[in-house]
Amino acid sequence: MWSLRRWIQSAATVLSNPYVLFPFTRNLYQGKLKSVCAPGLNCYSCPAATGACPIGALQTIFANVRPSFKAGNFHIGLYVLGLLGITGSLVGRMPCAWLCPFGFLQELIHKIPSRKIEIPHWMIYIKYGFLALFVILLPLIVVDGFGYGTTWFCKYVCPAGTLEAGIPILILQPQLRELAGWLYVNKIAILALFLVLMVFIRRPFCRIVCPLGAIYSLFNKVSVFRMVHHPDKCVMCKECYNGCPMGVKFYEGANQLDCIRCLKCMQESCKFYAISYEIAGLPVQEKEGRKKAITADQV
Amino acid sequence: MGQDKRKSGFLLLLLFLVVLVIGINAGEVATVWEKAVSICLACIGIG
Ligand code: SF4
Ligand code: SF4
Ligand code: SF4
């Protein structure tokens, strides 16, 4: 049986990509909704997408900062940063668990039965490098003679763009196929690598690479919605870690960078009511008795 | 500490609301739209 979260993830995937006319227009949706960023990583060059990708939008603005200043526009990404900041301040990394289509895909693929592998903890910090370098610094610094930079993360890394846009657009527009060279091969190879990793590792792209998850994660400790750990009730059974889609050791502390607030640990894993959440500091506790009660001495 | 934490989310929310409004006033919404409605060659891996 699918949980409520699965249904919401499915609905969010459809609502991020509802433009069903693309097989006829063979082009992208071009309506006004495209000026609003989706909360998750959803490529705006996906033929079905009706929203913008916040990471693509940020890179574009950074890459065009110089010409924008020359033209007197002074666009530095405040609109997109504002949207991301408002979401982060309210719920931290919660969109990753509930609304991001690429996060959803990773969880589904991870269900394929196989030996599961854990990554070393230090790897979760790599995504901040991708954010700093590929999304901010390289688009800002490496520019052509006219002052235009490029969207480094989209161009050299993003497997979501390859899957949602690279493959379908080349199917819809055969004339573009001639232009596919080593850049395309590189992007397909990265996508293939991650598709394989998803089988063995919990959400590998979200944990190691995603710059959007990296931005949201910075809000986890200060957002209005926060998870709470109750050490007095925790028996260190580590069930929260075993069931966590992000491999977070909740028993080591609430609101860690990789906690996406999926609530699975609270609702399913922890039988000791050692996990709850609070909204604006007001505690919301799971009703005892909903889960099969187990006492500490039964473990 | 608890009180500070309680406030921090709302203070950030306010800050980013201001950031958002400045961005909208600067005309950044149209910039995002312009980029999002045309096929991005970098995203699809050909340019
Ligand atoms: S390629 Fe990736 S980062 Fe770029 S716009 Fe598409 S989904 Fe966003
Ligand atoms: S980390 Fe990135 S890809 Fe993963 S769920 Fe969050 S926004 Fe989506
Ligand atoms: S720690 Fe809990 S709420 Fe956070 S991602 Fe893991 S299972 Fe979900």
Side-chain angles (χ1 to χ4, degrees):
Chain A
M1 250 269 289
W2 271 31
S3 63
L4 173 68
R5 188 166 73 92
R6 287 279 179 266
W7 287 109
I8 293 180
Q9 284 177 302
S10 312
T13 302
V14 174
L15 288 174
S16 304
N17 300 287
Y19 185 61
V20 290
L21 295 179
F22 74 82
F24 309 105
T25 64
R26 297 192 162 253
N27 208 344
L28 308 184
Y29 164 78
Q30 296 183 323
K32 282 284 165 231
L33 284 174
K34 267 275 170 94
S35 55
V36 182
C37 291
L41 196 73
N42 195 65
C43 194
Y44 47 29
S45 288
C46 169
T50 51
C53 167
I55 292 299
L58 269 184
Q59 290 170 83
T60 307
I61 290 174
F62 293 153
N64 294 339
V65 151
R66 284 156 224 249
S68 155
F69 270 60
K70 263 193 203 149
N73 286 330
F74 306 105
H75 291 172
I76 52 170
L78 295 184
Y79 166 58
V80 182
L81 287 174
L83 286 176
L84 294 180
I86 288 169
T87 310
S89 311
L90 285 172
V91 294
R93 219 177 152 174
M94 199 178 244
C96 296
W98 298 81
L99 303 176
C100 178
F102 205 62
F104 183 32
L105 174 80
Q106 291 172 79
E107 284 188 15
L108 292 182
I109 292 183
H110 194 65
K111 285 193 175 300
I112 296 173
S114 70
R115 226 188 104 210
K116 304 301 177 191
I117 301 169
E118 197 41 79
I119 56 167
H121 185 69
W122 58 264
M123 291 184 83
I124 73 160
Y125 297 105
I126 295 175
K127 57 181 168 285
Y128 302 96
F130 276 106
L131 171 63
L133 268 181
F134 284 72
V135 176
I136 304 172
L137 292 176
L138 291 169
L140 273 176
I141 294 169
V142 184
V143 293
D144 64 16
F146 302 99
Y148 289 99
T150 192
T151 52
W152 284 70
F153 188 76
C154 299
K155 187 168 177 173
Y156 298 108
V157 185
C158 187
T162 316
L163 182 69
E164 296 164 12
I167 295 171
I169 292 285
L170 260 61
I171 293 171
L172 289 172
Q173 302 205 2
Q175 74 279 12
L176 290 177
R177 285 180 210 159
E178 297 160 21
L179 301 174
W182 75 267
L183 271 177
Y184 195 77
V185 173
N186 169 60
K187 290 249 303 182
I188 290 283
I190 292 176
L191 172 63
L193 173 71
F194 273 99
L195 287 173
V196 173
L197 289 180
M198 285 169 203
V199 178
F200 303 103
I201 300 172
R202 303 181 238 197
R203 285 188 175 231
F205 178 78
C206 303
R207 293 163 75 194
I208 305 171
V209 180
C210 185
L212 184 54
I215 294 175
Y216 286 143
S217 75
L218 301 174
F219 291 88
N220 266 1
K221 287 229 186 292
V222 289
S223 55
V224 173
F225 177 102
R226 275 196 298 267
M227 302 294 297
V228 181
H229 181 226
H230 304 277
D232 51 321
K233 295 184 181 165
C234 178
V235 297
M236 290 283 179
C237 64
K238 302 186 180 172
E239 277 305 308
C240 51
Y241 166 68
N242 293 337
C244 175
M246 294 287 282
V248 171
K249 294 176 177 166
F250 195 95
Y251 54 89
E252 290 182 351
N255 304 306
Q256 295 177 38
L257 291 167
D258 266 358
C259 174
I260 54 174
R261 282 94 191 269
C262 69
L263 306 183
K264 191 176 173 197
C265 53
M266 182 188 101
Q267 292 173 330
E268 293 175 28
S269 308
C270 182
K271 303 285 188 262
F272 302 95
Y273 302 96
I275 300 173
S276 65
Y277 62 85
E278 58 180 26
I279 298 172
L282 302 173
V284 181
Q285 190 80 36
E286 264 249 297
K287 280 201 192 80
E288 301 215 4
R290 245 188 72 182
K291 291 179 278 198
K292 198 168 160 244
I294 300 177
T295 52
D297 41 65
Q298 279 178 277
V299 175
Chain B
M1 167 79 179
Q3 193 70 12
D4 284 353
K5 273 200 157 181
R6 204 168 295 178
K7 281 190 201 144
S8 58
F10 288 110
L11 286 177
L12 277 173
L13 184 64
L14 206 67
L15 173 79
F16 281 103
L17 264 171
V18 174
V19 168
L20 175 81
V21 171
I22 298 174
I24 293 174
N25 274 329
E28 291 190 1
V29 179
T31 312
V32 169
W33 180 82
E34 270 165 37
K35 172 71 183 173
V37 293
S38 40
I39 294 174
C40 157
L41 296 185
C43 303
I44 65 174
I46 59 176

